[in-house]
Amino acid sequence: MQKPDERLMERQRFLRDVSDRLAPLFTRRGEALWALSTTGEDDDATEFRAAKLAVEEALSDPEAYLTVRRFEQDGPSEDPGVDRQLDVLQRMMARGQAESALLEELASKEAALRQTYGSARGEIDGKAHSSNELERILGESGSSALRENAWCASKQVGDEVREEVIEIVEIRNKIATSLGYRDHYAMSLELQELSEERLFATLNKLEKATRTPFRTRKAVHDAELARRFDVPAGELMPWHYANPFFQGVPVPKSLKLDEKFAEADLVELAQRFFDGLGMNVRGVVAASDLEPRDGKDQHAFCLHVDRAGDVRILCNIRPSERWMRTTLHELGHAAYDRYIDQPFLLHRPSHTLMTEAVAMLMGRQSTELEFLLHYLGVPAFEVTPLSGEIRRHQCFRMQAFTRFVLVMAHFERELYANPRRKDLDAYWWELKKKFQLMNPPADRGADWAAKRHLALSPVYYHNYIYGEMVASQLRHVILERARESTIVDSLFTGEFLINELFEAGNSERWDTQLERISGEELNSQYFVREFTA
């Protein structure tokens, strides 16, 4: 029998060897994803497929996986950090134990879909329009006909990829069932250290808490839209709303925030904001791709290329409140990644929902009075009288987002339970009617498949609402301990997040980490109190 110190040394050697093999493969995959996202070229898609497959092959090594399981069965070592690395590695490798042919097929189809989504442009009368352009029409046009055309154009990619998405869902399910799971949805939640039962119990609480406030605020919003478009409120259609999925609401024009942001350098504002927290993200900005252009992915994300400090964000910035919020959000992810101080396998946030929490906390600042006063330079006499309207907007925006997350979570669980369900397209609109109070348009196709998360970021969307809840909980803790009323220009906020959260990386479970930081487990009441007033 091995002595405790010999057992620990064996595990340490094993982890070093695995990390040394994985690190260059992860870097190659990160570089390939960046190239594909910024160009959309076929060669880059081919390289991304190959790089992704190389990572999958390394993680599917059966001998290494058996070693991890042996260590697990032998019990913990004397080093919690080593045990955590083995636990993380075991979950990273679990899905890779499926047949290699399935993994190869999945990698190839995902890369092809990523290229399709990234290069997709909706057409109106034969002219291609970017997502920014379509959302501009939905945000500004007074013509119901033009708005309908723009909204339909934003969904065209859904019909194009519907069959491919369902095929990917079926492949993921084959992988999951071959490993003993009910389906990919159940497997993903378990590997994410999340309970499916608790997830939907939490979602049900949020549904009840937001139901009446959302219904009340939407009725006011619908009355405004009805007057604007000369349509009875009960006959408003999805294209009468500014967001293609109604997952958020625009800042009221009476606040004139887009006008203010149109005159500003959003990137410099964001850098100054993070400077005020004592977080240096200027190197991240210098390595990033921020302006829209043909062929480039139209969305926004943060990418830690190598788990060693090469952090970049991709944006398609236009001067607006929406892109101010998005830039702050992505740089929130970047700040988290930049300050992690852990070995390779733990050089990640403790959970996706934790990095989303930080990103969302930062993104919220785009409509906070202190941000508008301190960074945008809006005079107090202009913005202070609007504080009530800003607050109402913040609540309605978050309620609308919560209701869309309910749609996504319920739809995605059903998508994996029954991907060939005959009325799948109609089920999407059934959920949107139930949770978002949206009137279904006639003769629609696969509008759900236009939401790329379902294809490329599976079983992910719940992390956004969990992130919002954690963001509210973190905000409460920070303001209470700092005895401040805002995180804007707060060095305490930066120090707290870096020292208590960022540096720890994935060295402990997210729920353990949250309880350590805040003194209690996840508590949705902070979010409810903040956004259902």
Side-chain angles (χ1 to χ4, degrees), residues 404-419:
F404 181 66
V405 173
L406 291 168
V407 173
M408 287 288 287
H410 285 272
F411 181 84
E412 189 165 25
R413 181 166 65 169
E414 178 62 18
L415 175 64
Y416 282 97
N418 190 6

Side-chain angles (χ1 to χ4, degrees), residues 480-530:
E480 185 177 68
R481 294 184 186 178
R483 298 183 179 180
E484 296 174 346
S485 61
T486 178
I487 73 166
V488 170
D489 212 28
S490 167
L491 289 175
F492 177 88
T493 297
E495 292 174 0
F496 176 86
L497 291 174
I498 292 171
N499 296 333
E500 299 293 332
L501 182 59
F502 298 173
E503 290 181 350
N506 196 12
S507 60
E508 56 190 337
R509 284 177 56 106
W510 72 270
D511 44 3
T512 301
Q513 188 176 61
L514 179 61
E515 189 167 357
R516 172 178 60 78
I517 291 171
S518 68
E520 60 179 319
E521 62 182 16
L522 179 63
N523 186 345
S524 62
Q525 289 307 303
Y526 294 111
F527 174 83
V528 170
R529 286 202 296 265
E530 189 172 357

Side-chain angles (χ1 to χ4, degrees), residues 81 84 278-279 304 307 332-351 354-355 358 493-508 513 516-517:
R84 179 61 178 171
M279 299 178 184
H304 196 165
R307 296 196 180 192
H333 285 304
Y336 197 143
D337 286 348
R338 187 183 180 283
Y339 286 99
I340 293 174
D341 184 18
Q342 294 294 328
F344 176 81
L345 290 170
L346 304 182
H347 203 99
R348 294 284 291 165
S350 58
H351 195 285
M354 295 300 282
T355 184
V358 173
T493 297
E495 292 174 0
F496 176 86
L497 291 174
I498 292 171
N499 296 333
E500 299 293 332
L501 182 59
F502 298 173
E503 290 181 350
N506 196 12
S507 60
E508 56 190 337
Q513 188 176 61
R516 172 178 60 78
I517 291 171

Side-chain angles (χ1 to χ4, degrees), residues 296-314:
K296 177 184 171 183
D297 193 304
Q298 299 177 83
H299 295 266
F301 62 82
C302 173
L303 178 65
H304 196 165
V305 174
D306 58 358
R307 296 196 180 192
D310 184 354
V311 184
R312 313 172 193 178
I313 67 170
L314 181 142

Side-chain angles (χ1 to χ4, degrees), residues 27 79 89 182 228 273 279 319 333 373 399 477 494 497 519 524:
T27 300
D79 187 333
L89 181 60
R182 182 193 74 211
R228 178 182 173 190
F273 168 75
M279 299 178 184
H333 285 304
L373 291 166
Q399 292 160 19
V477 171
L497 291 174
S524 62

Side-chain angles (χ1 to χ4, degrees), residues 9-28:
M9 290 176 61
E10 180 189 11
R11 298 179 184 201
Q12 290 172 330
R13 284 194 299 270
F14 172 77
L15 289 170
R16 279 196 303 271
D17 291 344
V18 169
S19 298
D20 288 345
R21 290 201 305 273
L22 290 179
L25 299 178
F26 274 60
T27 300
R28 179 191 173 194

